[in-house]
Amino acid sequence: DSGVTQTPKHLITATGQRVTLRCSPRSGDLSVYWYQQSLDQGLQFLIQYYNGEERAKGNILERFSAQQFPDLHSELNLSSLELGDSALYFCASSVGGQGEAFFGQGTRLTVV
Amino acid sequence: GENVEQHPSTLSVQEGDSAVIKCTYSDSASNYFPWYKQELGKRPQLIIDIRSNVGEKKDQRIAVTLNKTAKHFSLHITETQPEDSAVYFCAASDSGYSTLTFGKGTMLLVSP
């Protein structure tokens, strides 16, 4: 167990819908990262938050947004879902911007 | 931003052989280089990491080497075992609060 908790583990939804993925980082970790992993892709970085502030942005679509709350948990919101958004979404956390990143178990999103 | 290239994309070896996976990075400011192992359906887990003030690091059967001048680093696994079969990701991170940039991964298959 990495100490990073992601909910839900599985999510099936229809095209056009909106979903929210939740991540609770390890105790003491201030930095949260979101990654997308499709079947034929590696780990695609979406966005990073550090202590409530956005720190880095990757290839995150405009339909996607995220935030980190005062208690340091983070949510990734995906809207106007398309079939191509089906993927495994990982959250990771670290003490700061460097150092080992611990991954959660991921949320498998299936858009039908 | 940082760009990490990883080769090969797949690697098949016989049990007991050595395996080498290579990565190159583009940002000379990068100074932290972790390697993650992802077993099928599971989260990525750190197996070894190296910082730019060190040229080589070993942990039992695995080792990582770093050539900052050439901007490449490699993972070496000796005496491979079937349980080493997984996808391996390299990553790079620069100073400050920047995020990890991952390579696309190498699927290692170790045949008994």
Side-chain angles (χ1 to χ4, degrees), chain B residues 8-63:
Chain B
S9 56
T10 59
L11 180 58
S12 294
V13 300
Q14 292 291 118
E15 183 177 0
D17 288 349
S18 294
V20 180
I21 302 171
K22 299 181 179 181
C23 289
T24 60
Y25 61 98
S26 61
D27 189 348
S28 56
S30 289
N31 56 11
Y32 175 64
F33 307 92
W35 286 87
Y36 286 80
K37 176 183 180 182
Q38 187 180 24
E39 297 177 353
L40 189 62
K42 297 188 176 181
R43 60 186 171 89
Q45 289 188 274
L46 181 77
I47 55 171
I48 195 167
D49 57 9
I50 192 169
R51 296 191 182 274
S52 60
N53 58 346
V54 176
E56 183 176 3
K57 185 176 178 181
K58 290 183 180 179
D59 183 3
Q60 299 182 346
R61 294 186 299 107
I62 61 174

Side-chain angles (χ1 to χ4, degrees), chain B residues 86-107:
Chain B
V87 178
Y88 291 81
F89 292 96
C90 63
S93 174
D94 63 14
S95 59
Y97 298 99
S98 183
T99 189
L100 288 171
T101 300
F102 283 87
K104 290 195 178 297
T106 296
M107 180 175 289

Side-chain angles (χ1 to χ4, degrees), chain B residues 62-110:
Chain B
I62 61 174
V64 58
T65 58
L66 171 65
N67 184 327
K68 282 216 73 179
T69 302
K71 288 192 282 189
H72 66 72
F73 55 112
S74 301
L75 177 71
H76 304 254
I77 306 174
T78 59
E79 300 174 19
T80 54
Q81 302 168 1
E83 50 265 39
D84 294 330
S85 296
V87 178
Y88 291 81
F89 292 96
C90 63
S93 174
D94 63 14
S95 59
Y97 298 99
S98 183
T99 189
L100 288 171
T101 300
F102 283 87
K104 290 195 178 297
T106 296
M107 180 175 289
L108 174 64
L109 300 172
V110 181

Side-chain angles (χ1 to χ4, degrees), chain A residues 1-6 24-26 100 102-105, chain B residues 43-45:
Chain A
D1 184 8
S2 67
V4 180
T5 303
Q6 287 187 249
S24 293
R26 290 190 322 153
E100 179 175 359
F102 292 84
F103 283 78
Q105 294 288 356
Chain B
R43 60 186 171 89
Q45 289 188 274

Side-chain angles (χ1 to χ4, degrees), chain A residues 7 29 34 37 40 42-45 50 58-59 61 67 69 73 75 78 82 87 89 100 105 110-111:
Chain A
T7 57
D29 284 358
W34 286 98
Q37 187 175 41
D40 58 348
L43 289 159
Q44 300 291 317
F45 168 63
Y50 177 81
N59 298 320
L61 300 172
Q67 59 184 129
F69 295 86
H73 91 271
E75 292 182 354
L78 315 176
E82 302 174 359
Y89 291 84
E100 179 175 359
Q105 294 288 356
T110 302
V111 182

